[in-house]
Amino acid sequence: MAKKEMFEDGDVGQASAGAVSRTDFPPNFVFGVATSAYQVEGAASEGGRGPSIWDAFCRNKGKIVDESDGEVAVDQYHRYKEDIDLIAKLGFDAYRFSISWSRIFPDGLGANLNDEGITYYNNLINTLLEKGIQPYVTLYHWDLPQHLHDSMGGWLNKQIVEYFGTYAETCFANFGDRVKNWVTFNEPLQTAVNGYCYGIFAPGRSENPSTEPYLVAHHQLLAHAAAVSIYRKKYKDKQGGQIGLVLDCEWAEANSDKLEDKVAAARRLDFQLGWYLHPIYYGDYPEVMRERLGDQLPKFSDEEIEMLRNSVDFVGLNHYTSRFIAHAEDSPEEGHFYKAQMMARIAQWEGGESIGKKAASEWLYVVPWGIRKALNYIAHRYQNPPIYITESGMDDEENDTPPIHEMLDDKLRVTYFKSYLAEVAQAIEDGADVRGYFAWSLLDNFEWAQGYTKRFGLIYVDYKNGLSRHPKSSAYWFLRFLKGDEGEHSKKE
Ligand code: GBH
């Protein structure tokens, strides 16, 4: 049987699209939408917020394709009530957003608290709770206070661990009476690799691509552990919440049955998930990373490992897409981080047909079966932890030529959510302990280096007309799905 047919016969993957309904998930399964501070808030120089490394990065010519920035973004800082109304109307249970560190401590140091920042997040949280929406709060979604970068080297300096601890504790103390779900870091891999190896994300460094990413990841892990330890010692008992870490993983499917391809796919997963989860579950970085990187990979002291071990109440998974992985002595992928993995990422089946429909972003193909595999992989390799899918979604190209109603009819995005959710339901049946699914994103927003040229939203933002919000077909699909009006007819007996 050809590999492609194998994937379509139902056993291994592709649950039939359209056959998913709310009742395929446990009643307490959480459905939410996600955003991050820099991508949606705007008001970058208002309300006492200090500058962050993304403000500075966006000013470097050539880094953001449309030369835009998050100065205004989609102005959620001023429009949070309208946005929360929309979340409530669509019927979501939860909103995952991030706190901007420099809105809490403008210089990051932890001495000068910005009361206006505290007030803003209090308002946001209280408004959510009034509407029955649970806040899922990320402490760090890439926007380091600029002063910490300038004055001490930011994530390159181990002292950052203490500053992060102070910031995290301030958030627990101020918001933890109402926030019961915390995430320390969003995708520490992206900060490490795109920030310090490829230089395509803030702070845009690529001077020492074979050492800095590993140091930065190391310090993020220690900062994560420090924050969790503070939470568990001083807040968890009285506040009763949970705390975890969010990792990104592109599913890696071996390109063939050859041993070397299987090993390459396994290596690829260790370089994404194992990098962070192995220290937490098994006390050190994956062996294959030590083999490939030698002394470039920092070492943990016994005390540090003690802190890191079991430092998650849940694993957050950001999952968008998948690739076939083949062994490659000299990787066709550019740059140190990919070369170190000795693999090729392939987006085609053997016959040349693409692995899935392409979204707008170069890296994003619609591959529903990958999410089921990623979830089962985490369940088996990391002691079946509670998992929240903290991001999942796809983008359309910004295009202001067609009439707006055409942009709103996002058929492929509807297919994406239907088919990915059907696979999540399968993973739960397989035994993975999946607790929630957050669509990325609530609304179109600042897509980092791609600026406003890519639209990931369930809600369309009209950048030319006062940032008005217009729900797309996918938003209405979720509304029906969450009410239980979707999929029932096609459910198997
Ligand atoms: C998530 O990252 C982020 O958490 C979120 O903020 C973001 O808006 C969302 O994805 C959509 O991108 O191919 O060289 O251009 C997902 C991981 C990191 C995958 C950047 C794509 C692009 C690098 N993404 N990567 S490149």
Side-chain angles (χ1 to χ4, degrees), residues 409-447:
D409 193 16
D410 56 343
K411 294 194 180 65
L412 184 56
R413 185 171 291 102
V414 173
T415 304
Y416 183 104
F417 286 122
K418 276 187 188 175
S419 54
Y420 274 58
L421 281 170
E423 295 288 342
V424 173
Q426 291 294 317
I428 295 172
E429 258 183 53
D430 297 337
D433 185 6
V434 191
R435 308 271 177 99
Y437 183 96
F438 290 74
W440 184 272
S441 178
L442 168 64
L443 70 188
D444 297 333
N445 59 49
F446 177 73
E447 177 53 15

Side-chain angles (χ1 to χ4, degrees), residues 39 141-142 186-187 190 194 200-201 248 318 320 363 391 440 447-448 450 456:
Q39 296 178 273
H141 200 126
W142 309 353
N186 179 72
E187 304 186 354
Q190 297 300 327
N194 282 331
I200 61 169
F201 284 179
D248 53 307
N318 288 356
Y320 289 84
W363 53 274
E391 288 178 27
W440 184 272
E447 177 53 15
W448 308 113
Q450 300 299 318
F456 273 92

